[in-house]
Amino acid sequence: MRNLKTALLAAVLVGSTVFAGAAPAQAAPILRGVYYENSECHRVGNYGIQNGYWPGPYQCVWYPVPTNNPPGFWFLYA
């Protein structure tokens, strides 16, 4: 019984040191908005960083939609 307790304690100590030394994972970008124009996407992206709504950087990504008018949308990720 004493050997079992010693083994469990060793496992807990090793496991806790692994988690204590681990770095936090990088957060995935979150969709912050969808826009018709590139300039509007960048305007809102800069506004969000300057006013503390999200930590930088942001990214505006174009997704074309051939059957639509306008022919696509700008997606803001931050």
Side-chain angles (χ1 to χ4, degrees), residues 41-65:
C41 183
H42 286 286
R43 185 190 70 77
V44 174
N46 285 323
Y47 181 85
I49 291 173
Q50 290 171 357
N51 292 293
Y53 292 116
W54 51 78
Y58 71 89
Q59 182 179 16
C60 291
V61 180
W62 171 256
Y63 287 105
V65 182

Side-chain angles (χ1 to χ4, degrees), residues 1-77:
M1 190 66 164
R2 185 177 178 130
N3 289 340
L4 179 62
K5 287 181 183 178
T6 305
L8 286 174
L9 179 61
V12 168
L13 290 175
V14 168
S16 64
T17 57
V18 168
F19 287 114
Q26 180 67 27
I30 298 172
L31 179 64
R32 302 292 182 171
V34 180
Y35 305 96
Y36 291 119
E37 297 176 0
N38 184 21
S39 60
E40 183 70 4
C41 183
H42 286 286
R43 185 190 70 77
V44 174
N46 285 323
Y47 181 85
I49 291 173
Q50 290 171 357
N51 292 293
Y53 292 116
W54 51 78
Y58 71 89
Q59 182 179 16
C60 291
V61 180
W62 171 256
Y63 287 105
V65 182
T67 60
N68 201 10
N69 189 16
F73 299 99
W74 289 95
F75 288 75
L76 172 62
Y77 294 97

